[in-house]
Each structure stands twice: as C-alpha cells, then as structure tokens.
Amino acid sequence: MNIAYYDAEQVERLLDYPGCIAAVRRAMRSLSESGKAQPLRQIVRIADKTMFGVMPGDLAAIGSFGAKLVSVAEDPARPGRARHRGVVVAYAADSAEVEAIADAEAVTAIRTACATAAATDALARPDARVLAIFGAGTQAETHIRALRHVRDFDRILLWGRSADSIAALAARLSRDLGIAVEATTDGQRAAGAADVICTVSGSAEPILFGAWVREGTHVNLVGSSMLGPVEVDSALVAAGRYIADYRPGALAQASELAVARDAGLVTDDHVVGEIGEVFAGTLAGRESPGQITLYKSLGHVVQDLAATAYLHRRALSEGITP
C-alpha cells in the first residue's frame, strides 16, 4: 500500500480554515442524513493522568472509514495542560486500504474549531459582533482563527484565570491576525458583552453561568468531551435551545447535560436535534432573535475523516507525494 502520511506541520499548512469549515459542514449534514448509527467514542484510562481514546466510524459521502487513536496526557512543557498525541487513519471504502494517516493533534485542533464555526454560522444572530472565548489553550487560538471566517466581529474577549497567560496570548493573536483581542479575568463581564461565547477550557467546574448570558446569545460548549468536566452551570443548559453534533453521543457523554438531567431540570428531549439537521434545513436552528442557542461539541470522527480527506486532496493537487 502506498500510504500518505501528514505530520503536524503539513496538516497546519494544508488544512486551511475556510476549506475545513466547508468540509466539516458537509460531513455533519451527511452524518445526520444517513441515519446510520455510529460507534461512540471509547475512552480507556491507562493511568491516573493518561487516557487512550478510540473514535471509529465511517463517512459514506466521501467514501471513507477509519478511526482516530489518541492519548490524552499531561504536557510536560505546559504544566496543568494536556496534549492529544496520535493519528487519524483514513481508509478508502472502495478498496478497504489505508489511504492516509494524519497527525491527530493538529487535525483535532483545527477541525474542532471549524465545526464550531460552522455551527455558529447557522445558530448565531446575523448581527453578532462580540465574541468571548473562555479558555486560553490551543483551542482558544484555533477558535478565534476559525470564527472570524463566519462573523465580522468588532470585539474579541479572551477569558482565563491567569492574567499573564491570557495577556500574552491576546497580544500575539492581535499582532498575528490584525484584530483586537482583549484579555480579561472577569468572566461575568466577558459573557455579558458577548453575542457568541465559546467554552474551550475543559474545566472540572462551571466557568460560565446562565445568569451571566444575555438573551440572543449563541454558546458553543466545546471543552468537555466526556462525563466529568462541566464548563457551564445547569441553569444555562436548561435555558438554551440545545443542539448536538451527534445526539446519541450527547445523551451518553455530554457532562453538562448529564448534570442538568440528574438534577431534574431537563430530560433527553432537551436535545432537540443535531447540527447536521440544521445544515440540511430539516431542523430549525435559532427560532427568534432573543433565544439562547447552545451547540454541544463532543467531536465526531466524521469530522476527522472529512478534514483528512480534504487535506489529502489538497496535497495531491499540489503534487505532494507520500
């Protein structure tokens, strides 16, 4: 087999944000329209601070199946933060042979933000102009880079607990992107000013509260991808029109939903549907300007397969050989 391999540097060069946004939008629509059940993410705890994640699945729309295999462990270079190390393995459905392998950390960083951007484009008010990011890691940066492709934000607020860390990141992004990114440690202030909020922290306890969020805000819940970590309180979950990336995944593994459900504030019916249905026009997204909308991003392997297929096509078109 002639297998193409793309390292992190190649992924970051080939997986451009506009192209990836379009690719994951098509993938999520296909996932919802297919009606085919997909395996849920499997997480194996290897040690106290090390987990192994396996995400298998298929995307008939592009003739690909495969899996993402990642370890999640503490990053020695960034105490208190984790890294995702692994690969996305994409097979060609017609030949059942491995077609491409890509660095999973780089793919995940970009495709997650692009999935959020696609959902925001569908769910946020057209006049949304203020973005607030809760978190200061890799996903904070990629989300700012992706979301500016779907709304013309006048103001971007970056919240974190460490004033020094968020000030440094805000200054670098302001310089690199040519836009003003404001650092703040005041979460209530950031949420109260925002039209779009993204939680990308993976915090174990809520960092965003329903009482802080204005009517008409769109909120992307991204940082918690398994039962346990809870980034927002149950009041916000209950207040919003809740749309998942993949409904069976959210019902089984969305931590904020599970906490609100256990408290008796919501039932499974609170998950009104999937973002792919919104993309297809079979489910209403935002129903009114004053409605709070929630998009729960657990991440799905079809996003990884679509992103890998897109960057592989770009590589072939540019004459990059395996």
Side-chain angles (χ1 to χ4, degrees):
M1 292 185 292
N2 189 24
I3 302 172
Y5 172 70
Y6 301 99
D7 62 19
E9 183 178 349
Q10 290 172 309
V11 170
E12 289 168 0
R13 184 174 73 80
L14 294 166
L15 193 55
D16 63 281
Y17 286 90
C20 188
I21 290 170
V24 297
R25 181 186 289 116
R26 289 192 295 269
M28 298 311 290
R29 175 172 178 168
S30 176
L31 174 66
S32 295
E33 289 183 328
S34 72
K36 181 179 181 180
Q38 296 271 353
L40 299 184
R41 173 195 289 108
Q42 300 298 307
I43 299 175
V44 180
R45 187 167 291 279
I46 304 300
D48 183 45
K49 294 184 178 181
T50 302
M51 293 179 291
F52 178 53
V54 181
M55 297 170 63
D58 71 281
L59 183 55
I62 60 172
S64 181
F65 67 91
K68 181 163 72 174
L69 310 172
V70 291
S71 66
V72 182
E74 187 171 341
D75 183 357
R78 300 182 305 159
R81 297 190 182 277
R83 283 192 62 184
H84 294 65
R85 299 173 177 90
V87 293
V88 178
V89 183
Y91 287 74
D94 55 356
S95 65
E97 292 187 347
V98 178
E99 188 171 37
I101 299 174
D103 182 276
E105 186 171 38
V107 169
T108 302
I110 298 171
R111 70 79 160 148
T112 303
C114 288
T116 297
T120 299
D121 195 27
L123 298 175
R125 300 192 324 271
D127 63 349
R129 291 295 179 268
V130 180
L131 169 65
I133 303 290
F134 280 64
T138 298
Q139 283 295 338
E141 177 170 351
T142 57
H143 272 70
I144 289 173
R145 291 182 180 275
L147 283 158
R148 66 194 185 98
H149 290 285
V150 299
R151 288 293 186 276
D152 185 16
F153 293 109
D154 300 321
R155 190 179 179 199
I156 298 177
L157 301 169
L158 178 65
W159 175 89
R161 293 187 177 93
S162 170
D164 291 342
S165 295
I166 58 171
L169 178 57
R172 179 168 61 82
L173 290 173
S174 297
R175 181 181 64 251
D176 292 350
L177 302 178
I179 54 178
V181 179
E182 305 171 37
T184 180
T185 57
D186 188 337
Q188 185 171 1
R189 169 180 169 268
D195 302 310
V196 175
I197 302 173
C198 303
T199 57
V200 294
S201 72
S203 175
E205 301 292 338
I207 55 174
L208 178 66
F209 299 87
W212 295 355
V213 177
R214 296 185 302 168
E215 290 186 355
T217 302
H218 172 62
V219 181
N220 298 295
L221 308 179
V222 183
S224 174
S225 59
M226 61 183 181
L227 294 177
V230 178
E231 291 191 301
V232 307
D233 72 347
S234 295
L236 179 55
V237 172
R241 179 169 173 79
Y242 193 110
I243 295 174
D245 51 7
Y246 183 55
R247 191 173 189 274
L251 293 178
Q253 298 177 335
S255 193
E256 297 93 351
L257 177 69
V259 170
R261 187 173 53 205
D262 290 347
L265 297 177
V266 301
T267 66
D268 286 355
D269 290 340
H270 192 60
V271 184
V272 297
E274 298 175 350
I275 193 64
E277 297 174 277
V278 179
F279 295 153
T282 57
L283 174 71
R286 172 171 296 277
E287 297 175 308
S288 68
Q291 186 175 48
I292 293 173
T293 52
L294 302 177
Y295 168 62
K296 178 56 188 176
S297 170
L298 282 168
H300 196 283
V301 71
V302 299
Q303 298 168 352
D304 302 292
L305 294 174
T308 300
Y310 172 74
L311 70 89
H312 183 51
R313 289 196 304 271
R314 277 203 66 189
L316 296 177
S317 69
E318 294 181 15
I320 299 173
T321 56

